[in-house]
Amino acid sequence: MSSVSQSIQKIKEQLPSGVTLVAVSKTKPNEMIIEAYEAGQRIFGENKVQELVDKQESLPKDIEWHMIGHLQRNKVKYIAPFVSLIHGVDSLRLLRAVNKEGAKSERVIPCLLQMHIASEETKFGLDEDELFQLLESEDYQKFGNVEIRGLMGMATFTDDKEKIAGEFRTLKNSFDRVKKKYFKDRKEFSFLSMGMSGDYDIAVAEGSNMVRIGSSIFGERNYL
Ligand SMILES: *Cc1c(COP(=O)(O)O)cnc(C)c1O
């Protein structure tokens, strides 16, 4: 058995049922993705549009591709025809672009809204006020080609587990408030995407139901 399939099996054994595993294959070759595919994995995450498009074209068509990285508005059109979930929607302008391309592709594109929970300025995302503003905007009410499926966030890169847990808890609380306020009785709003190789155990303990794991499956990356 390959190390990729062994890693996937090990992680799946650790994840409670109901937690979706997104295998983050960015920078990794198609051969490794096929190994994961043969181990039963069907959901893969990429953070660069061009790489995502190339891989989608050459790999099996029943793979669900998630865009997990920062997305530029002018690049949405390349992934709109096939993307299964966009994790990093962090502005109304981006959501508007996704809606527009969704209409062109005659699709309703599933999205997560990204929240800024880390103390690092470099990480993208909305704060809770901005999130509420977006959901209350007249524009958003009219969008027929996007569907908000939940929230996503990234914790600070640190060894301080208490700090990471606190940030994930903040995101979970936002998720619960948003659910109650705007998506009550709407079962499509159900995903809380938080946790990566270094912190997914903490994320799951804090209520994550979607983890994005790269290096623990495919090995360290040489570049980002
Ligand atoms: C790269 C990346 C991951 C996976 O990171 P690992 O530490 O390799 O598991 C998860 N989420 C996002 C947004 C990423 O860019």
Side-chain angles (χ1 to χ4, degrees):
M1 205 168 27
S2 77
S3 70
V4 168
S5 62
Q6 275 172 342
S7 304
I8 285 184
Q9 267 186 20
K10 216 172 87 194
I11 290 166
K12 284 208 157 150
E13 277 163 21
Q14 289 165 13
L15 292 177
S17 67
V19 178
T20 300
L21 171 62
V22 180
V24 176
S25 48
K26 63 190 185 194
T27 80
K28 298 298 178 182
N30 289 351
E31 295 73 54
M32 291 185 95
I33 299 177
I34 289 292
E35 283 179 36
Y37 181 88
E38 282 170 355
Q41 183 67 25
R42 289 295 179 273
I43 304 177
F44 293 87
E46 291 283 337
N47 72 337
K48 296 263 189 327
V49 166
Q50 187 60 55
E51 187 175 348
L52 177 53
V53 168
D54 290 345
K55 286 176 171 170
Q56 192 271 337
E57 277 171 7
S58 48
L59 287 161
K61 292 300 173 247
D62 61 340
I63 288 178
E64 291 178 33
W65 292 102
H66 289 198
M67 175 65 194
I68 62 167
H70 187 63
L71 180 58
Q72 289 171 288
R73 277 174 286 136
N74 61 352
K75 292 194 175 164
V76 175
K77 57 176 175 284
Y78 302 112
I79 62 170
F82 67 86
V83 70
S84 290
L85 186 63
I86 300 176
H87 287 236
V89 176
D90 62 356
S91 71
L92 183 62
R93 292 171 82 199
L94 176 57
L95 193 63
R96 187 181 298 124
V98 176
N99 184 63
K100 187 174 144 204
E101 296 302 328
K104 285 189 200 164
S105 299
E106 297 178 12
R107 295 187 63 209
V108 176
I109 300 180
C111 297
L112 304 180
L113 296 173
Q114 182 171 1
M115 297 203 66
H116 189 274
I117 52 170
S119 48
E120 295 135 323
E121 280 299 318
T122 50
K123 289 189 173 142
F124 296 99
L126 304 155
D127 64 30
E128 204 174 271
D129 284 344
E130 292 167 331
L131 177 70
F132 288 1
Q133 271 174 34
L134 187 157
L135 293 171
E136 283 168 20
S137 72
E138 276 181 39
D139 248 16
Y140 166 68
Q141 315 295 331
K142 286 185 275 184
F143 293 163
N145 294 86
V146 287
E147 184 168 77
I148 306 296
R149 292 281 177 87
L151 303 181
M152 177 267 203
M154 291 169 86
T156 303
F157 187 72
T158 172
D159 290 332
D160 185 346
K161 288 188 191 309
E162 286 302 317
K163 180 173 169 62
I164 295 170
E167 291 173 357
F168 285 147
R169 204 168 302 142
T170 300
L171 183 54
K172 171 69 161 84
N173 288 335
S174 291
F175 177 88
D176 291 341
R177 275 194 291 272
V178 170
K179 172 93 187 152
K180 198 165 163 220
K181 197 159 177 211
Y182 302 99
F183 296 93
K184 211 166 186 294
D185 307 320
R186 302 233 325 251
K187 64 179 188 318
E188 81 273 9
F189 188 92
S190 58
F191 292 126
L192 182 53
S193 168
M194 58 184 199
M196 326 190 348
S197 293
D199 58 19
Y200 73 87
D201 50 336
I202 305 174
V204 167
E206 296 298 337
S208 167
N209 61 17
M210 182 174 273
V211 292
R212 310 174 309 271
I213 300 183
S215 43
S216 291
I217 295 174
F218 296 106
E220 294 299 326
R221 288 175 298 273
N222 295 323
Y223 59 98
L224 276 176

